[in-house]
Amino acid sequence: MLATNYRGPYRIRASQKPDPVIEHPGDAIVRVTRACICGSDLHLYHGLVPDTRIGHTFGHEFVGIVEEVGSAVETLKPGDRVLVPFNLFCGSCFFCQRELYSNCHNTNPEATAVGGIYGYSHTTGGYDGGQAEYVRVPMADVGPYKIPEDIVDDDAVLLTDALPTGYQAAEMGDIKQGDTVVVFGAGPVGIFAAKSAWLFGAGRVIVVDHVEYRLDFVRRYARCEIINFREVGDVALHIKKMTDWLGADVCIDAVGCEASGSLAQTITGRWTMLQAGAATALFWAINSVRKAGNVSIVGVYGPTFNAVPIGNALNKGITMRMNQAAVKRHVPHLIEHIRQGHLNPKEIITHRVPLEEVSDAYHIFSSKYDNCIKTVLIPPRAGSARATATSVIH
Ligand SMILES: [Zn+2]
Ligand SMILES: [Zn+2]
């Protein structure tokens, strides 16, 4: 089959690999019809995630058709159209019983924090991802969600990570009616966090970024205010000015470890690697929230050290919540929001690219060329979806 093939930092291509096979009676094989590139895939692509092995197949946001199931699988059958949450989870451990699916204790024996994730290095279990024609889906009775007939694949694929992550960011912010919510980052997750903030009762939503076309998009899509941090000097000061000098009630970090905007963070985190990436967005979130406000973090940070102003957080009495999204917990109510017209996830898709052009697709997304917000890769055997793929090689 054709699949992505990581060759080292900034080098990825599509090449032939053996088809996946049923390795356990609980497995399913899914023929992928769409797989997104995620902002967090860029951390892999840039070589920032430890133990990202040459040859690894990336991709944790995919939908497809069940091709084959193991003998123990009871709820899926060949032909079922499924979305597969990015988390691999067992459904029965201490954490899964509490619906903390991203913290499953059984799917990532290498780590004590995060559970298994498709296509996200051996630090999350080493599972092959879905930027491929086929993918093996372990514990197929637990993770995959059958896509209802009235939900299109373009919406469903965004339910595997980006939308639930943005939504959970707003949920963890514990937004009260009328609150001012500031979202750092106008990528897909930040866009969905801003949109979701209204659903939790926000009175005002402000998004901070420096990529002008993304700020333009989020202003229209989420009907929010925007700040280009390159234009305002001190971001925290600017936000205080906009909020009667109190600060925002809730700040959401939807950026993570590759933030721009602070020379000190960039030097220590991205050039000399003295910390695990640059935590600029989190720094701003802590300094922009009001005293006793809430900071919610869904931007991806690696393990070990980041330079975070924890003293400010303590003295301000901030509540901080963070986690990787427990995707499957959110899918049913997000489907209802899509049906009601409150959320239109597919509108953020800007590129539909044949899987063969994965190298160019990563380059365009990473470089923020061509007004790229969300890229969907479409494999050769995607069926009718293949006709919607457009070459990006000119
Ligand atoms: Zn993702
Ligand atoms: Zn579990």
Side-chain angles (χ1 to χ4, degrees):
M1 67 163 180
L2 195 69
T4 55
N5 185 337
Y6 175 68
R7 307 311 301 164
Y10 292 88
R11 293 169 62 210
I12 191 164
R13 60 177 180 242
S15 61
Q16 288 295 323
K17 293 182 179 176
D19 287 354
V21 295
I22 301 281
E23 294 177 17
H24 180 277
D27 289 352
I29 303 296
V30 170
R31 175 169 58 84
V32 176
T33 53
R34 280 167 182 74
C36 294
I37 304 177
C38 177
S40 65
D41 287 329
L42 295 181
H43 309 320
L44 295 171
Y45 177 63
H46 297 158
L48 294 174
V49 179
D51 207 5
T52 304
R53 299 187 189 173
I54 300 297
H56 192 47
T57 305
F58 292 174
H60 58 268
E61 305 185 358
F62 56 92
V63 297
I65 309 287
V66 175
E67 188 82 5
E68 188 186 351
V69 295
S71 58
V73 175
E74 293 175 351
T75 58
L76 292 183
K77 60 181 186 314
D80 284 343
R81 193 166 62 107
V82 289
L83 69 89
V84 181
F86 77 85
N87 336 97
L88 286 114
F89 59 101
C90 74
S92 54
C93 71
F94 177 91
F95 302 98
C96 286
Q97 281 174 26
R98 286 153 182 80
E99 297 188 312
L100 297 165
Y101 302 133
S102 58
N103 310 108
C104 176
H105 211 47
N106 286 328
T107 52
N108 182 13
E110 306 301 324
T112 52
V114 74
I117 300 176
Y118 289 96
Y120 211 78
S121 88
H122 279 66
T123 58
T124 68
Y127 299 93
D128 283 334
Q131 290 168 7
E133 289 186 288
Y134 297 98
V135 60
R136 183 177 74 93
V137 173
M139 291 158 288
D141 280 327
V142 182
Y145 188 94
K146 277 193 235 180
I147 304 171
E149 279 203 4
D150 60 332
I151 299 296
V152 298
D153 283 348
D154 277 351
D155 280 331
V157 76
L158 292 163
L159 287 168
T160 61
D161 179 1
L163 178 56
T165 297
Y167 184 87
Q168 185 170 318
E171 182 190 64
M172 290 191 298
D174 196 16
I175 297 165
K176 303 284 191 298
Q177 201 66 35
D179 273 359
T180 295
V181 178
V182 175
V183 179
F184 293 90
V189 170
I191 290 167
F192 288 141
K195 190 91 176 162
S196 300
W198 297 114
L199 300 175
F200 287 94
R204 193 175 178 194
V205 179
I206 303 167
V207 174
V208 182
D209 203 299
H210 67 112
V211 180
E212 202 58 52
Y213 74 82
R214 291 188 171 185
L215 287 170
D216 280 347
F217 179 86
V218 74
R219 176 169 48 195
R220 281 181 281 116
Y221 182 80
R223 296 169 192 270
C224 59
E225 297 164 69
I226 54 170
I227 298 172
N228 185 331
F229 66 73
R230 299 266 190 231
E231 293 172 359
V232 300
D234 185 328
V235 176
L237 185 65
H238 188 79
I239 290 168
K240 285 198 177 134
K241 277 186 199 166
M242 294 173 74
T243 53
D244 303 324
W245 297 99
L246 286 177
D249 300 298
V250 177
C251 283
I252 293 172
D253 172 2
V255 176
C257 65
E258 286 196 72
S260 310
S262 160
L263 187 62
Q265 287 271 352
T266 301
I267 290 171
T268 57
R270 297 178 68 177
W271 297 356
T272 59
M273 300 224 176
L274 287 173
Q275 52 165 328
T280 313
L282 181 52
F283 190 92
W284 285 340
I286 289 170
N287 288 341
S288 304
V289 79
R290 68 163 164 76
K291 286 179 274 188
N294 299 331
V295 170
S296 166
I297 310 169
V298 289
V300 172
Y301 291 91
T304 70
F305 166 80
N306 276 107
V308 170
I310 196 69
N312 296 7
L314 170 76
N315 291 328
K316 290 171 78 171
I318 292 171
T319 299
M320 295 174 76
R321 290 194 64 194
M322 62 206 86
N323 207 343
Q324 304 239 12
V327 170
K328 199 165 184 184
R329 179 166 70 80
H330 299 294
V331 170
H333 49 259
L334 288 174
I335 283 176
E336 274 316 304
H337 280 307
I338 291 170
R339 285 180 174 141
Q340 305 288 327
H342 302 149
L343 294 169
N344 301 298
K346 64 177 177 294
E347 285 180 23
I348 76 159
I349 296 173
T350 51
H351 291 69
R352 289 179 174 76
V353 182
L355 178 62
E356 297 89 317
E357 297 180 15
V358 65
S359 169
D360 301 87
Y362 267 81
H363 178 62
I364 288 168
F365 184 47
S366 173
S367 305
K368 301 184 177 71
Y369 288 154
D370 199 24
N371 291 348
C372 184
I373 294 175
K374 193 67 171 174
T375 298
V376 180
L377 297 167
I378 306 193
R381 275 181 269 199
S384 58
R386 180 68 173 180
T388 66
T390 309
S391 174
V392 290
I393 300 173
H394 300 298

